[in-house]
Amino acid sequence: MSDFIDIGALEDIRPQSARLVRTAMGCIAVFRTADDEVFALDDRCPHKGGPLSNGIQHGRSITCPLHNWVISLSTGMAEGADEGSVRTYPVQVSDGRILMDARALAESMAAE
Amino acid sequence: MKQKLVVIGAGMASGRALEHLLENAPDAYDITLFGAEPRGNYNRIMLSPVLSGEKTYEEIVTHDTAWYAANGITCRFGEKVQRIDRAAKVIVTPKGQTPYDKLIIATGSDPFIIPVPGHDLPGVLAYRDLDDTNAMIEASAKPGAKAVVIGGGLLGLEAAAGLALRGMEVSVVHLMGHLMERQLDEAAGYLLRKELVGRGIKIHCSANTRQVVGDGKVEGLELEDGTILPADIVVMAVGIRPSVALAKEAGLEIGRGLKVNDQLVTSDPDILALGECVEHDGMVYGLVAPLYDMAKVLAKTLAGEHDAYRGSQISTKLKVTGVDLFSAGDFADGADREEIVFRDPARGVYKRLVLQNDRIIGAVMYGDTADGSWFFGLIKDEEDISEMRDTLIFGPAFAGGTPMDPMAAVAALPDDAEICGCNGVSKGTIIAAINGGATTLDAVKAKTKASTSCGTCAGLTEQVVALTLGDDFVLPAAAGMCKCTDHSHDDVRRLIRAKELKSIPAIQQELQWKSSGGCHSCRPALNYYLVCEWPGEYVDHAQSRFINERVHANIQKDGTYSVVPRMWGGITTPNELRAIADVADKFAIPTVKVTGGQRIDLLGVKKEDLPAVWSDLNDAGMVSGHAYAKGLRTVKTCVGTDWCRFGTQDSTGLGVKIERLMWGSWTPHKVKMAVSGCPRNCAEATCKDVGIVCVDSGYEIGVGGAAGMDVREVQPLAKVGTEEEVLEYISAFVQLYRENAQYLHRPYKWIAKVGLDWVKSRVVEDAESRKALAERFEHSQTFYRKDPWAERVAGAEAHEFNPLADLTQVAAE
């Protein structure tokens, strides 16, 4: 069973950009790539907590604005020699709407 | 089953060897360590700072009991080894026999005590271990105590300086004609003597000791000429002898020391040896570097790997605070040897190089030893110096314009030399990364983080990589902008013009970018080049700007922002100050700070509050200060003729005019300006990208100053008579910089590349060119001289500041 929530339209996010989704456990950054893929990650760099949504996006990666760590949007893993990861959330696009799996969201909250 | 390894001697040599062995073959041996001193291993070469009181014993310990325990080494400190029984493969101590499969002899050396009458009186000390050092410290505690040090070599002088610092009256007795004759020539010895005499140490050269005098304890030292030097202690520091008694008795082959081969194995294949007790290839060493070299090889041998010790080049530094002395290599006279000598008696500087066949074989430096490691590198590498012989003595800093190898200085750096200050990366770390498989510059940077922060060490990092990889590595002639392209910044700009490329995708397509969408380093550069090249036509690509420029505020370490309203020329009003204060209150802004550029910074603003903060500031008439921008930041001013009794021109007024002209412009890097009303320069105009100093007859314009990671004074561009000329000249200068400089190069870097003469030829000497540049600047400014805050207050880019969705309620379920 899945429980997808409509969080907005794909058009609400510019290509190579990100928007935030507020949750009780902090902000989730939703990224749209140049190829219209969508990814959702906690908006905290594993390095020093930098807001990833404010970084420069390239390919399927985001460069943190604080210290240039590069994080993979698809896996949440730090790229290159850095080690660390950020939590990712399942999202999908259907009929131009972005859907987020609320169950994963609830699980992450339970885990905290 | 593990083999039994027994080690005799718990000094620096065995300490280092065991470290390497535990790395190479952690589980190969059961290790038992015997040490004559009742303690673990300490850094013996640091005893001098302990003696002088600059360090404590605890600070020089390298391996304590806990270290040995943690590494499973059985320690038997204070237990004297009496005999090695090679037939039975055991060593014998008063407590019995200990069997071994492999044995390491690291017994070091014994201080040489001159067998003069009285040498066995209490108060005659060697300078070898911590007990000696403590005895000296104890003796120095007595008020008015006197010490005589026999031996004017490295060790003796360190002892003398240390005792003098402890307050003793110290005399040095030296057999030879000048101090440290094995390392220094007469001239350098003279300078050293002068320095030590200046510290109250008495020096007696060409002095032979007849006897130590005293009744039951030391009372003085009598020289051959009958002079008696009163003394409470006599320190003998005249040399060391390899300690080989055990080895000799065991029937091992002995020369000047215990003989070892290139694998550090003695004449018995199961017995290895290293350190000051050994003789290798006819050489006996008394310094630490060779011992470390040996330790590496010995550990390899024990681990069953092949390696070979080929002898060491050694260098010396005198560890006496305030005395700079460096010596390396060989400086005996010889018919086939030449010398280069530099003397500056007034400064007390002396340098001497001994050359043979166009190679440096010896180097002595006194008073200025900064280039020591560089010269030492040339000696070790047997570098041919014929090409740089003219300037050789001045060291690597004088390489400017000479065909000298820039790699030499880097080659000479020790492994622990810091290459990248931001990330604390040493040369050794880079070399280790390369040995670990990083074979390209990018791989090294990714793995070590070297030169990934401020980037000022990029050249150094490249050189270390090039040196380590040798022929396998070719420095890219003109480095590409980033990993996405092989084109250099300059090439890309040229091609944008030539091919009339007007968007980032067009550039990436036409110039065959290797990545699909560029990266965080090339995209901001491309966006700037397009902004500059096609003003009014190019549509700015926000997603290729760093966040600061995207939201017109500075991101801070906690993800909040800081906001700096513009204050034209540093002028403000009570109303503006009230508005700023109100904003700070209303939005609970935690910090209000005056910046280095005479503006007020509101720090700690939440991102979602930014548009509202700007709105309030706009209402009070204030606009964005662009304090975040690669663009014009501030024009700092003093009060000039308005108020100052020295001011020669209206510096404040001119500063305001310049800021009104220049604000909002985008540039390759931030640009800071200042106007000072007189040469007293209260606005610090001489360390700005553009600085104007007012004088009676007009305005002196300087460019290319900086006070960031590099501190630079401006270079004079022109002197003009009117404010109008100032505005035209600096517009032209800024436009030339905008059109030509590489992204993220400040003007000083760009000027260094193109030359100030070229800049002057365009901006000063050619009036037509100057006017055209100033016009292009003005044209561009018609599009960019506007407040980005007002646009956002009006709703532009609202998506930046508002969340896409709010699921805070979903969470409650």
Side-chain angles (χ1 to χ4, degrees):
Chain A
M1 185 203 99
S2 67
D3 189 4
F4 280 97
I5 305 176
D6 185 331
I7 54 172
L10 181 65
E11 293 306 310
D12 291 339
I13 310 177
R14 294 194 184 175
Q16 293 188 307
S17 181
R19 302 274 311 261
L20 290 180
V21 172
R22 288 217 176 98
T23 80
M25 299 308 299
C27 286
I28 296 173
V30 183
F31 295 88
R32 175 182 173 187
T33 68
D35 299 332
D36 288 345
E37 288 187 288
V38 175
F39 299 97
L41 286 73
D42 272 342
D43 192 29
R44 281 182 60 79
C45 179
H47 176 220
K48 301 248 173 176
L52 295 174
S53 58
N54 291 329
I56 289 179
Q57 201 192 109
H58 42 98
R60 283 179 159 196
S61 305
I62 182 77
T63 298
C64 177
L66 291 194
H67 305 101
N68 287 348
W69 275 38
V70 178
I71 308 292
S72 160
L73 294 176
S74 53
T75 65
M77 303 290 288
E79 295 182 352
D82 295 321
E83 283 177 18
S85 65
V86 56
R87 183 179 293 151
T88 61
Y89 299 89
V91 276
Q92 46 177 270
V93 181
S94 173
D95 291 335
R97 304 298 298 180
I98 303 169
L99 306 174
M100 179 177 262
D101 188 344
R103 246 186 358 163
L105 201 59
E107 275 164 22
S108 89
M109 285 170 195
E112 293 284 340
Chain B
M1 216 186 84
K2 284 190 185 181
Q3 293 205 76
K4 292 185 188 65
L5 174 66
V6 169
V7 184
I8 307 176
M12 299 176 73
S14 70
R16 184 56 73 99
L18 288 175
E19 262 179 38
H20 285 304
L21 181 61
L22 291 167
E23 276 168 31
N24 295 347
D27 302 316
Y29 294 98
D30 270 328
I31 305 170
T32 307
L33 174 64
F34 289 88
E37 284 183 69
R39 58 181 78 86
N41 182 18
Y42 56 90
N43 189 342
R44 204 177 291 273
I45 58 175
M46 297 309 278
L47 281 174
S48 293
V50 172
L51 175 61
S52 63
E54 290 162 276
K55 278 195 189 305
T56 64
Y57 169 67
E58 286 70 29
E59 288 177 85
I60 66 166
V61 171
T62 55
H63 305 81
D64 56 11
T65 320
W67 186 88
Y68 290 117
N71 287 287
I73 296 169
T74 308
C75 292
R76 295 177 49 183
F77 292 146
E79 189 175 337
K80 193 173 162 56
V81 176
Q82 293 166 306
R83 200 157 57 81
I84 301 166
D85 184 339
R86 289 166 57 203
K89 291 184 85 169
V90 296
I91 61 143
V92 182
T93 71
K95 291 189 181 169
Q97 298 189 343
T98 307
Y100 68 83
D101 296 307
K102 295 280 179 189
L103 178 67
I104 299 177
I105 298 179
T107 45
S109 57
D110 298 317
F112 181 57
I113 298 290
I114 319 166
V116 289
H119 73 270
D120 46 4
L121 281 172
V124 176
L125 301 168
Y127 185 22
R128 182 65 195 150
D129 59 24
L130 185 67
D131 293 334
D132 299 329
T133 309
N134 285 337
M136 286 191 249
I137 293 171
E138 202 179 310
S140 72
K142 188 183 133 194
K146 296 179 179 63
V148 173
V149 176
I150 305 179
L154 200 61
L155 204 59
L157 294 182
E158 289 184 10
L163 292 170
L165 270 179
R166 292 252 172 208
M168 289 184 97
E169 226 174 85
V170 184
S171 305
V172 174
V173 173
H174 191 49
L175 188 60
M176 308 304 289
H178 67 271
L179 296 173
M180 288 183 72
E181 80 287 344
R182 268 195 287 171
Q183 288 88 8
L184 303 184
D185 56 19
E186 251 181 83
Y190 166 78
L191 287 173
L192 178 60
R193 176 184 182 139
K194 204 170 128 189
E195 170 68 31
L196 294 174
V197 168
R199 293 174 180 221
I201 297 171
K202 296 194 180 71
I203 309 278
H204 305 266
C205 284
S206 307
N208 208 350
T209 301
R210 181 182 287 162
Q211 61 173 329
V212 181
V213 293
D215 187 8
K217 66 175 178 59
V218 168
E219 287 167 11
L221 188 79
E222 186 184 344
L223 303 179
E224 281 293 349
D225 65 3
T227 312
I228 292 190
L229 304 169
D232 297 279
I233 53 168
V234 169
V235 179
M236 292 205 190
V238 291
I240 51 171
R241 296 279 161 88
S243 175
V244 293
L246 268 179
K248 197 171 186 175
E249 200 202 344
L252 295 170
E253 198 182 330
I254 309 286
R256 289 164 62 208
L258 172 53
K259 283 196 174 178
V260 292
N261 64 15
D262 288 353
Q263 279 68 45
L264 283 319
V265 177
T266 66
S267 53
D268 180 330
D270 289 323
I271 302 181
L272 297 85
L274 82 165
E276 292 179 347
C277 61
V278 307
E279 174 185 334
H280 173 268
D281 199 17
M283 292 292 291
V284 173
Y285 296 99
L287 290 163
V288 70
L291 168 170
Y292 285 169
D293 294 341
M294 290 177 196
K296 261 183 220 164
V297 176
L298 179 134
K300 284 270 177 68
T301 306
L302 279 178
E305 295 167 43
H306 180 79
D307 200 353
Y309 175 67
R310 304 277 188 219
S312 300
Q313 284 284 355
I314 51 177
S315 66
T316 311
K317 274 192 150 176
L318 185 65
K319 286 178 294 302
V320 172
T321 306
V323 179
D324 285 327
L325 188 155
F326 176 90
S327 130
D330 176 3
F331 9 76
D333 287 331
D336 56 345
R337 295 178 175 191
E338 302 165 285
E339 290 182 11
I340 299 176
V341 177
F342 172 88
R343 292 172 204 273
D344 184 346
R347 280 198 303 142
V349 173
Y350 173 86
K351 301 181 190 185
R352 173 170 173 237
L353 301 174
V354 181
L355 309 181
Q356 188 174 32
N357 300 327
D358 285 330
R359 268 133 188 107
I360 307 180
I361 58 164
V364 186
M365 260 149 281
Y366 185 88
D368 174 5
T369 57
D371 299 331
S373 59
W374 185 69
F375 286 122
F376 186 46
L378 296 179
I379 293 174
K380 276 201 288 198
D381 299 344
E382 298 177 16
E383 199 88 28
D384 186 327
I385 51 82
S386 50
E387 292 286 304
M388 52 180 165
R389 186 171 168 142
D390 288 354
T391 58
L392 186 63
I393 196 81
F394 301 110
F398 215 78
T402 66
M404 198 163 61
D405 180 5
M407 298 289 203
V410 178
L413 290 173
D415 273 4
D416 59 2
E418 188 172 78
I419 300 293
C420 170
C422 299
N423 296 302
V425 184
S426 68
K427 181 181 170 187
T429 309
I430 294 175
I431 292 170
I434 292 167
N435 293 337
T439 54
T440 67
L441 186 60
D442 279 335
V444 168
K445 284 161 79 172
K447 200 158 173 184
T448 64
K449 293 272 174 213
S451 88
T452 56
S453 292
C454 80
T456 49
C457 62
L460 216 52
T461 306
E462 280 177 7
Q463 287 177 13
V464 175
V465 173
L467 274 168
T468 313
L469 287 174
D471 294 340
D472 298 339
F473 178 78
V474 182
L475 263 183
M481 280 178 74
C482 64
K483 280 178 288 191
C484 306
T485 179
D486 294 331
H487 291 295
S488 68
H489 282 265
D490 292 340
D491 289 347
V492 169
R493 292 204 86 167
R494 257 199 303 279
L495 292 165
I496 289 173
R497 267 165 228 159
K499 290 169 148 308
E500 298 204 7
L501 304 172
K502 297 192 177 176
S503 72
I504 291 175
I507 296 171
Q508 291 173 341
Q509 181 63 32
E510 289 290 320
L511 307 185
Q512 293 166 348
W513 239 241
K514 290 185 272 187
S515 64
S516 62
C519 70
H520 66 264
S521 61
C522 63
R523 288 230 312 272
L526 296 181
N527 190 59
Y528 166 73
Y529 295 150
L530 292 164
V531 163
C532 177
E533 197 62 35
W534 316 111
E537 190 175 348
Y538 171 67
V539 181
D540 195 85
H541 189 240
Q543 300 320 322
S544 294
R545 282 192 184 269
F546 187 64
I547 185 67
N548 285 357
E549 292 184 349
R550 213 154 75 219
V551 302
H552 295 276
N554 279 8
I555 192 165
Q556 300 298 336
K557 63 185 237 182
D558 61 353
T560 66
Y561 288 82
S562 88
V563 165
V564 181
R566 201 166 274 290
M567 285 179 183
W568 309 97
I571 294 276
T572 185
T573 64
N575 274 336
E576 286 184 351
L577 292 174
R578 263 189 290 272
I580 289 171
D582 288 344
V583 163
D585 279 345
K586 182 170 166 187
F587 296 96
I589 291 169
T591 301
V592 181
K593 180 182 184 308
V594 175
T595 71
Q598 298 180 335
R599 307 294 185 264
I600 292 175
D601 196 357
L602 299 160
L603 287 138
V605 183
K606 293 189 208 71
K607 190 180 179 191
E608 60 266 32
D609 285 345
L610 286 172
V613 167
W614 297 333
S615 175
D616 285 6
L617 294 170
N618 277 173
D619 286 346
M622 284 178 281
V623 299
S624 171
H626 287 81
Y628 47 81
K630 308 285 179 249
L632 178 84
R633 297 276 176 100
T634 58
V635 183
K636 192 174 178 181
T637 60
C638 66
V639 294
T641 46
D642 274 358
W643 295 95
C644 177
R645 65 201 163 101
F646 299 115
T648 61
Q649 309 281 355
D650 177 14
S651 55
T652 323
L654 179 57
V656 174
K657 278 183 198 155
I658 292 172
E659 194 160 352
R660 295 251 177 223
L661 172 76
M662 295 265 163
W663 78 291
S665 57
W666 299 106
T667 43
H669 207 308
K670 64 181 173 187
V671 170
K672 295 180 169 182
M673 302 193 179
V675 188
S676 281
C678 77
R680 285 171 192 77
N681 194 19
C682 293
E684 291 156 348
T686 49
C687 61
K688 297 292 183 283
D689 298 292
V690 176
I692 292 128
V693 176
C694 303
V695 291
D696 275 330
S697 55
Y699 306 85
E700 290 172 356
I701 304 171
V703 293
M709 283 187 294
D710 289 303
V711 179
R712 300 289 167 109
E713 188 183 357
V714 290
Q715 304 178 61
L717 178 76
K719 191 176 163 191
V720 299
T722 66
E723 286 190 348
E724 287 65 38
E725 285 172 294
V726 171
L727 298 178
E728 182 177 296
Y729 276 69
I730 67 175
S731 294
F733 170 78
V734 170
Q735 184 64 13
L736 193 67
Y737 164 61
R738 295 182 72 226
E739 290 176 1
N740 286 282
Q742 177 178 331
Y743 189 65
L744 297 187
H745 277 186
R746 294 278 296 266
Y748 73 88
K749 255 191 195 165
W750 165 65
I751 292 171
K753 194 171 137 199
V754 300
L756 185 65
D757 287 343
W758 182 81
V759 174
K760 281 182 174 170
S761 73
R762 301 297 169 101
V763 174
V764 182
E765 289 145 23
D766 182 342
E768 224 165 279
S769 159
R770 176 171 66 244
K771 285 199 165 33
L773 282 165
E775 275 165 24
R776 287 206 292 282
F777 180 72
E778 182 53 33
H779 173 68
S780 173
Q781 280 297 79
T782 58
F783 303 101
Y784 297 116
R785 200 186 279 133
K786 60 186 176 194
D787 179 31
W789 288 353
E791 295 173 347
R792 278 151 189 77
V793 171
E797 310 277 332
H799 65 98
E800 274 284 359
F801 309 99
N802 303 326
L804 177 67
D806 191 338
L807 301 183
T808 38
Q809 298 311 309
V810 175
E813 289 166 21

